[in-house]
Amino acid sequence: MSNKTVVQATINGEEVEFLCETRQSLLEVLRDVLRLTGTKEGCNNGNCGACNVILEGVLVNSCLVLGVEVQGKSITTIEGIASPQGLHPLQQKFLEHAALQCGICTPGVLVSAKALLDRHPHPSEHEVRHWLAGNLCRCTGYDKIVHAILDAADVMSAEVTK
Amino acid sequence: MQAFEYIPATTVNEAIAILHQQGDQARLISGGTDLIVQLREGRRKPKIVVDIKRIPEVNQLSYNLIDGLTIGAAVPCYKLYGSAVIKETYPGLIDAASLIGGVQIQGRATLGGNLCNASPAADSIPALIAHNAIAVVAGMNGERHIPVQDFCTSPGRTQLEPDEMLVSIQVPAPRAHSYGAYLRFTPRNEMDIAVVGVGVWVALDDTRVVITAARIALGAVGPTPLFVNEAGASLVGQPIGSQAIEKAALIAQLAAKPITDMRGSAEQRRHLVAVLTRRALDSAIARASA
Ligand SMILES: Cc1cc2nc3c(=O)[nH]c(=O)nc-3n(C[C@H](O)[C@H](O)[C@H](O)COP(=O)(O)OP(=O)(O)OC[C@H]3O[C@@H](n4cnc5c(N)ncnc54)[C@H](O)[C@@H]3O)c2cc1C
Ligand code: FES
Ligand code: FES
């Protein structure tokens, strides 16, 4: 009985093939096998959101997905948010608003925010706060994060209508 | 996490055959939001994990006026509130599905997994019971139907035999002027476990002033989610209004068997049952009268 399995998936638009143990989470695969260490581990049990990635267009905790479950699936991690042209508006606004301190929660928050704006391009403040309920931040008190996201949403819709 | 073999099953029969051969050495995975935590903590140690998400039947999500709603066992919560017709027809189920964890949990977590995990505090189960839902179960001897109100037998245990799996949950088509509601109390609005949960469902007559049928179920006040038949029955034939609601809330409160634990005392829970039953009934009646 071999517990190592070959898995093919598309990560940040690139087709990859990796070998993983069935018991490895997607989070472990990303960090330890593929060396995509932007995705962070906080709680490892679904509560903090530091490990959030977008799987087939849906926001998930990568610590609650097995590596073997993503066979044939497409995943966006924090490494896939910026474009060759530069930072994503969310990243830009996080810098401008100083929406981070230690930064451990930031990749997960950015991925959550990206998933939110993909689905709801004009969220209310309440919607942003509700959507981020599964992202814990020990440092910022959330206010700057929420305003950076609202500001990014404004900038992005202005770009679309330009 | 200990090592295990991972089998992505593609048919119901394949999954059942593995369960039949392996007994409690095998465990199904749907969204994995309970199971992966349990594996990591060593609370479950299966040799084989069978993924059901590639089986067509468990991915069904369909609604029509005759058969009602079919929720495949592997349909994640976000798909329920992603459907306009389900949102409109079964807001009481949406109340529960949109409370399970946060959005990223709802991207994976299923009502099927919530039911099979059989936590006394599971949010979807009182709502499903209130809607009179049926669990469609497949095993070596074919299919059987178990009312959700009888499905859980003790914390973490269900009526499922070791070689049976849940295929789908069937929710009856709504009668005219009928709606459900689910409310829970938690210290934090999101990402918390219910101290008490209350699911209700109410049908009104054509004038929308008399209650013709009602069902009430409670969560986190007993070893399993609790269907309180008498509470719903007390509302039948009554005009909508605080008197009837008050009485039903009192009956629900008397039926609750809460314990004291880190989340709340038995006394607080008993109090909450009455408050939440009242509010959930108000909400369902408001929906049905609109
Ligand atoms: C951070 C966090 C927050 C949470 N918040 C809530 C909450 O607010 N409310 C709440 O109720 N729950 C909550 N949960 C628990 C969990 O998310 C839910 O119970 C969820 O609905 C489980 O569904 P799943 O598909 O992930 O189940 P899985 O983990 O895949 O399965 C759960 C159990 O059921 C068995 N099983 C799965 N499918 C079948 C089947 N078809 N037939 C037979 N057995 C089966 C599995 O073997 C396993 O034992 C939370 C969990 C986390 C990690
Ligand atoms: S590490 Fe996955 S949610 Fe905390
Ligand atoms: S910036 Fe430190 S946890 Fe959020």
Side-chain angles (χ1 to χ4, degrees), chain A residues 47-62:
Chain A
N47 277 284
C48 76
C51 67
N52 283 3
V53 300
I54 298 173
L55 172 60
E56 296 284 300
V58 179
L59 185 67
V60 302
N61 302 112
S62 63

PDB file of all heavy atoms in Angstrom, chain A residues 47-62:
ATOM      1  N   ASN A  47      -9.832  27.802  11.941  1.00  0.00           N
ATOM      2  CA  ASN A  47     -10.366  28.950  12.661  1.00  0.00           C
ATOM      3  C   ASN A  47      -9.762  30.303  12.305  1.00  0.00           C
ATOM      4  O   ASN A  47     -10.397  31.326  12.525  1.00  0.00           O
ATOM      5  CB  ASN A  47     -10.246  28.718  14.172  1.00  0.00           C
ATOM      6  CG  ASN A  47     -11.401  27.887  14.691  1.00  0.00           C
ATOM      7  OD1 ASN A  47     -12.513  28.393  14.839  1.00  0.00           O
ATOM      8  ND2 ASN A  47     -11.168  26.610  14.926  1.00  0.00           N
ATOM      9  N   CYS A  48      -8.513  30.343  11.783  1.00  0.00           N
ATOM     10  CA  CYS A  48      -7.830  31.638  11.691  1.00  0.00           C
ATOM     11  C   CYS A  48      -7.787  32.230  10.285  1.00  0.00           C
ATOM     12  O   CYS A  48      -7.593  33.431  10.132  1.00  0.00           O
ATOM     13  CB  CYS A  48      -6.422  31.530  12.246  1.00  0.00           C
ATOM     14  SG  CYS A  48      -5.266  30.702  11.134  1.00  0.00           S
ATOM     15  N   GLY A  49      -7.884  31.416   9.242  1.00  0.00           N
ATOM     16  CA  GLY A  49      -7.904  31.934   7.878  1.00  0.00           C
ATOM     17  C   GLY A  49      -6.542  32.297   7.301  1.00  0.00           C
ATOM     18  O   GLY A  49      -6.462  32.763   6.164  1.00  0.00           O
ATOM     19  N   ALA A  50      -5.452  32.081   8.055  1.00  0.00           N
ATOM     20  CA  ALA A  50      -4.112  32.421   7.533  1.00  0.00           C
ATOM     21  C   ALA A  50      -3.767  31.573   6.307  1.00  0.00           C
ATOM     22  O   ALA A  50      -2.934  31.964   5.490  1.00  0.00           O
ATOM     23  CB  ALA A  50      -3.059  32.231   8.624  1.00  0.00           C
ATOM     24  N   CYS A  51      -4.415  30.430   6.187  1.00  0.00           N
ATOM     25  CA  CYS A  51      -4.072  29.464   5.138  1.00  0.00           C
ATOM     26  C   CYS A  51      -5.018  29.555   3.941  1.00  0.00           C
ATOM     27  O   CYS A  51      -4.982  28.700   3.067  1.00  0.00           O
ATOM     28  CB  CYS A  51      -4.162  28.052   5.705  1.00  0.00           C
ATOM     29  SG  CYS A  51      -5.861  27.605   6.124  1.00  0.00           S
ATOM     30  N   ASN A  52      -5.865  30.588   3.900  1.00  0.00           N
ATOM     31  CA  ASN A  52      -6.903  30.631   2.861  1.00  0.00           C
ATOM     32  C   ASN A  52      -6.342  30.661   1.445  1.00  0.00           C
ATOM     33  O   ASN A  52      -5.399  31.394   1.151  1.00  0.00           O
ATOM     34  CB  ASN A  52      -7.804  31.861   3.056  1.00  0.00           C
ATOM     35  CG  ASN A  52      -8.798  31.657   4.180  1.00  0.00           C
ATOM     36  OD1 ASN A  52      -8.773  30.632   4.844  1.00  0.00           O
ATOM     37  ND2 ASN A  52      -9.674  32.617   4.394  1.00  0.00           N
ATOM     38  N   VAL A  53      -6.958  29.863   0.589  1.00  0.00           N
ATOM     39  CA  VAL A  53      -6.664  29.872  -0.848  1.00  0.00           C
ATOM     40  C   VAL A  53      -7.999  29.804  -1.590  1.00  0.00           C
ATOM     41  O   VAL A  53      -9.047  29.537  -0.983  1.00  0.00           O
ATOM     42  CB  VAL A  53      -5.766  28.683  -1.280  1.00  0.00           C
ATOM     43  CG1 VAL A  53      -4.432  28.705  -0.547  1.00  0.00           C
ATOM     44  CG2 VAL A  53      -6.477  27.349  -1.078  1.00  0.00           C
ATOM     45  N   ILE A  54      -7.952  30.060  -2.891  1.00  0.00           N
ATOM     46  CA  ILE A  54      -9.162  29.964  -3.704  1.00  0.00           C
ATOM     47  C   ILE A  54      -9.070  28.676  -4.522  1.00  0.00           C
ATOM     48  O   ILE A  54      -8.125  28.484  -5.277  1.00  0.00           O
ATOM     49  CB  ILE A  54      -9.312  31.210  -4.601  1.00  0.00           C
ATOM     50  CG1 ILE A  54      -9.449  32.470  -3.709  1.00  0.00           C
ATOM     51  CG2 ILE A  54     -10.516  31.072  -5.531  1.00  0.00           C
ATOM     52  CD1 ILE A  54      -9.424  33.789  -4.477  1.00  0.00           C
ATOM     53  N   LEU A  55     -10.027  27.794  -4.298  1.00  0.00           N
ATOM     54  CA  LEU A  55     -10.035  26.478  -4.951  1.00  0.00           C
ATOM     55  C   LEU A  55     -11.245  26.431  -5.886  1.00  0.00           C
ATOM     56  O   LEU A  55     -12.386  26.518  -5.410  1.00  0.00           O
ATOM     57  CB  LEU A  55     -10.124  25.385  -3.866  1.00  0.00           C
ATOM     58  CG  LEU A  55     -10.328  23.943  -4.283  1.00  0.00           C
ATOM     59  CD1 LEU A  55      -9.195  23.443  -5.164  1.00  0.00           C
ATOM     60  CD2 LEU A  55     -10.455  23.047  -3.043  1.00  0.00           C
ATOM     61  N   GLU A  56     -10.993  26.326  -7.191  1.00  0.00           N
ATOM     62  CA  GLU A  56     -12.091  26.337  -8.164  1.00  0.00           C
ATOM     63  C   GLU A  56     -13.020  27.539  -7.940  1.00  0.00           C
ATOM     64  O   GLU A  56     -14.240  27.393  -7.937  1.00  0.00           O
ATOM     65  CB  GLU A  56     -12.901  25.040  -8.076  1.00  0.00           C
ATOM     66  CG  GLU A  56     -12.137  23.798  -8.438  1.00  0.00           C
ATOM     67  CD  GLU A  56     -11.931  23.650  -9.954  1.00  0.00           C
ATOM     68  OE1 GLU A  56     -12.925  23.584 -10.678  1.00  0.00           O
ATOM     69  OE2 GLU A  56     -10.775  23.616 -10.399  1.00  0.00           O
ATOM     70  N   GLY A  57     -12.423  28.687  -7.691  1.00  0.00           N
ATOM     71  CA  GLY A  57     -13.215  29.905  -7.529  1.00  0.00           C
ATOM     72  C   GLY A  57     -13.846  30.068  -6.155  1.00  0.00           C
ATOM     73  O   GLY A  57     -14.559  31.033  -5.917  1.00  0.00           O
ATOM     74  N   VAL A  58     -13.593  29.130  -5.240  1.00  0.00           N
ATOM     75  CA  VAL A  58     -14.254  29.153  -3.933  1.00  0.00           C
ATOM     76  C   VAL A  58     -13.202  29.300  -2.832  1.00  0.00           C
ATOM     77  O   VAL A  58     -12.190  28.590  -2.829  1.00  0.00           O
ATOM     78  CB  VAL A  58     -15.067  27.856  -3.724  1.00  0.00           C
ATOM     79  CG1 VAL A  58     -15.736  27.843  -2.353  1.00  0.00           C
ATOM     80  CG2 VAL A  58     -16.115  27.695  -4.816  1.00  0.00           C
ATOM     81  N   LEU A  59     -13.467  30.213  -1.906  1.00  0.00           N
ATOM     82  CA  LEU A  59     -12.546  30.433  -0.787  1.00  0.00           C
ATOM     83  C   LEU A  59     -12.588  29.242   0.166  1.00  0.00           C
ATOM     84  O   LEU A  59     -13.662  28.842   0.610  1.00  0.00           O
ATOM     85  CB  LEU A  59     -12.966  31.715  -0.051  1.00  0.00           C
ATOM     86  CG  LEU A  59     -12.053  32.182   1.082  1.00  0.00           C
ATOM     87  CD1 LEU A  59     -10.700  32.623   0.541  1.00  0.00           C
ATOM     88  CD2 LEU A  59     -12.718  33.303   1.869  1.00  0.00           C
ATOM     89  N   VAL A  60     -11.420  28.680   0.495  1.00  0.00           N
ATOM     90  CA  VAL A  60     -11.353  27.537   1.422  1.00  0.00           C
ATOM     91  C   VAL A  60     -10.144  27.706   2.351  1.00  0.00           C
ATOM     92  O   VAL A  60      -9.218  28.456   2.059  1.00  0.00           O
ATOM     93  CB  VAL A  60     -11.239  26.180   0.675  1.00  0.00           C
ATOM     94  CG1 VAL A  60     -12.415  25.972  -0.269  1.00  0.00           C
ATOM     95  CG2 VAL A  60      -9.918  26.055  -0.085  1.00  0.00           C
ATOM     96  N   ASN A  61     -10.181  26.969   3.464  1.00  0.00           N
ATOM     97  CA  ASN A  61      -9.020  26.873   4.345  1.00  0.00           C
ATOM     98  C   ASN A  61      -8.150  25.735   3.802  1.00  0.00           C
ATOM     99  O   ASN A  61      -8.582  24.584   3.789  1.00  0.00           O
ATOM    100  CB  ASN A  61      -9.436  26.478   5.772  1.00  0.00           C
ATOM    101  CG  ASN A  61     -10.427  27.438   6.402  1.00  0.00           C
ATOM    102  OD1 ASN A  61     -11.577  27.086   6.624  1.00  0.00           O
ATOM    103  ND2 ASN A  61      -9.985  28.628   6.706  1.00  0.00           N
ATOM    104  N   SER A  62      -6.897  26.037   3.397  1.00  0.00           N
ATOM    105  CA  SER A  62      -6.090  24.947   2.824  1.00  0.00           C
ATOM    106  C   SER A  62      -5.671  23.930   3.884  1.00  0.00           C
ATOM    107  O   SER A  62      -5.280  22.818   3.554  1.00  0.00           O
ATOM    108  CB  SER A  62      -4.869  25.501   2.082  1.00  0.00           C
ATOM    109  OG  SER A  62      -4.000  26.179   2.962  1.00  0.00           O
TER     110      SER A  62
END
